Amino acid sequence: MHFTTRAIHAGQEPEPRTGSVNVPIYQTSTYAQDGVGEHRGWDYGRSGNPTRDALQMALASLEQAEDAVVFASGLAAEDAVFRLLSPGDHVIMADDVYGGTWRQVAKVHVPAGLLEVTTVDLADLDAVAAAVRPTTRLVWVETPSNPLLKVFDLAALATVAHDAGARLVVDNTFATPYLTQPLAHGADLVVHSTTKYLGGHSDVVGGAVCTDAETAERLRFLQNAVGAVGGPLDNYLTLRGIKTLGVRMETHCANAAAIADHLVDHPAITQVLYPGLAHHRNHDVAARQMRHFGGMLSIRLAGGRPAADAVAVGTELFFLAESLGGVESLIEHPGAMTHASVAGTALEVPDDLLRLSVGIEHVDDLVADLDHALAQV
Ligand SMILES: *Cc1c(COP(=O)(O)O)cnc(C)c1O
């Protein structure tokens, strides 16, 4: 079945007792048992919930994975993946990895002795190979990356990782399975912040890992032992968002491409970072690996930080806010907002940079809003 059909049907049979076409919100912490230890597949809300099961089945189907495990947030999902490692294991990550991922690794897992980490430019495959150690277990990649919109070649990275005896983890939050399905390119685990495009309406926080059945079982054990489960209403909202992922992504991508084209020659802007632009460093990889070029773009302002601040507060339709992937357009200053946790490190982002999450409003209104804000700097 096609992607957009699976988004609406996978894991989402009508509820058998009433015929409810929507998966109910099973708002319960426990389940009555038929006999001592004889339950119907669910015994306690941390261990399992039918609304969560439905979401897991839908996500596994969209990523073409054997299984999916849903968490309370994207960072909770990532934490579970890192807990698959043993002390001394080594991880290779991009030098522009998401700030929250970097904070978790550098400030929590490294000090606890769980893992060691090296950051490299993942577009330089020789540098990746040179960073490999006998203890390397994971190569961790986001594509397109946040907020610099770098694109990395998943098949090539999978080869380098597998040659090193490591597994490739792809944070697929920006591309979503509608644009890229990393497991088909050789990845071993896909992580998501479902808070973003999958939920799609800026009304719920969640995360997921899509992977093989054996790894999913280990992650479920960890989740039950550690406790990072989302609630049934959260799972329902995410599932509801997923139903329209395909149509939303079509508009997000078309709007972002039109805005990138419009801004590329703007006198107030020195650079537009968007994988769909022909001069993007890895445009050819993006064209091969993605259905469209995504709904995220970043711009650098000729007037530096003051101009960036003025534009960020000068838009009306683009709300000045963290996060991304919702139906409404958002603008933010990564250096001071989402990526403040990497300030002063090698992962610091330029302070003339603004990141745009292009929503699904009418593109003419979005262009007019940006033009108006840019005219003031
Ligand atoms: C938001 C985000 C995360 C973290 O997810 P939360 O749901 O906020 O915990 C991880 N990776 C990327 C690329 C993100 O954008």
Side-chain angles (χ1 to χ4, degrees):
M1 260 187 289
H2 290 276
F3 185 96
T4 48
T5 308
R6 284 184 276 121
I8 293 167
H9 290 279
Q12 302 166 69
E13 295 295 314
E15 192 273 323
R17 193 166 75 89
T18 61
S20 165
V21 297
N22 282 303
V23 174
I25 303 161
Y26 286 91
Q27 192 70 48
T28 188
S29 62
T30 190
Y31 305 85
Q33 305 200 1
D34 298 325
V36 175
E38 263 176 60
H39 57 74
R40 304 177 199 176
W42 297 273
D43 59 354
Y44 183 59
R46 173 167 25 77
S47 321
N49 178 285
T51 316
R52 199 198 312 164
D53 293 348
L55 174 58
Q56 292 178 155
M57 280 187 258
L59 283 168
S61 170
L62 295 188
E63 287 289 3
Q64 306 278 23
E66 286 176 9
D67 205 348
V69 186
V70 162
F71 289 84
S73 69
L75 285 180
E78 296 187 8
D79 176 67
V81 172
F82 290 122
R83 285 176 196 270
L84 296 170
L85 301 174
S86 306
D89 285 352
H90 176 241
V91 178
I92 296 174
M93 301 192 130
D95 55 11
D96 68 337
V97 69
Y98 171 69
T101 304
W102 179 249
R103 182 177 51 204
Q104 182 181 109
V105 166
K107 300 271 172 67
V108 181
H109 296 318
V110 170
L114 177 60
L115 55 87
E116 293 167 16
V117 65
T118 306
T119 57
V120 294
D121 177 0
L122 294 179
D124 181 349
L125 294 174
D126 294 334
V128 182
V132 166
R133 301 180 192 168
T135 51
T136 303
R137 294 288 171 268
L138 297 180
V139 175
W140 187 286
V141 56
E142 284 161 43
T143 180
S145 71
N146 177 10
L148 299 178
L149 284 308
K150 293 188 190 173
V151 171
F152 302 111
D153 185 335
L154 295 179
L157 285 170
T159 303
V160 176
H162 295 160
D163 285 351
R167 298 207 285 172
L168 181 66
V169 184
V170 179
D171 180 337
N172 203 27
T173 300
F174 268 40
T176 82
Y178 186 67
L179 303 184
T180 305
Q181 287 156 25
L183 300 178
H185 296 276
D188 303 285
L189 297 95
V190 173
V191 302
H192 277 289
S193 169
T194 58
T195 312
K196 316 295 168 56
Y197 287 107
L198 289 165
H201 297 74
S202 306
D203 55 6
V204 60
V205 172
V209 185
C210 305
T211 186
D212 62 274
E214 190 188 329
T215 306
E217 230 13 77
R218 290 176 61 203
L219 290 168
R220 275 211 179 85
F221 170 81
L222 283 165
Q223 178 176 58
N224 193 41
V226 176
V229 295
L233 176 60
D234 295 1
N235 295 325
Y236 174 85
L237 288 170
T238 307
L239 192 58
R240 176 182 161 123
I242 282 175
K243 289 176 194 278
T244 55
L245 178 66
V247 288
R248 285 187 287 109
M249 288 312 289
E250 286 290 336
T251 305
H252 282 297
C253 294
N255 284 359
I259 289 172
D261 281 342
H262 177 76
L263 295 181
V264 83
D265 294 320
H266 197 288
I269 292 175
T270 53
Q271 198 184 359
V272 177
L273 306 169
Y274 185 64
L277 293 171
H279 66 256
H280 183 277
R281 182 187 180 197
N282 274 326
H283 176 69
D284 57 328
V285 178
R288 207 165 58 229
Q289 196 168 272
M290 303 175 75
R291 187 198 299 254
H292 305 303
F293 297 102
M296 299 298 299
L297 62 98
S298 292
I299 54 177
R300 298 186 69 175
L301 279 297
R305 174 72 193 263
D309 285 355
V311 173
V313 296
T315 53
E316 280 180 14
L317 294 177
F318 281 83
F319 297 143
L320 174 57
E322 302 200 0
S323 199
L324 61 108
V327 291
E328 64 289 298
S329 293
L330 302 178
I331 191 166
E332 67 116 3
H333 186 278
M337 295 169 65
T338 48
H339 290 64
S341 59
V342 295
T345 74
L347 281 70
E348 188 170 278
V349 293
D351 76 350
D352 59 3
L353 186 87
L354 289 175
R355 189 189 74 185
L356 277 59
S357 173
V358 180
I360 63 171
E361 301 94 335
H362 197 285
V363 68
D364 294 349
D365 294 327
L366 297 180
V367 167
D369 191 34
L370 290 169
D371 280 349
H372 177 74
L374 285 163
Q376 302 174 15
V377 302

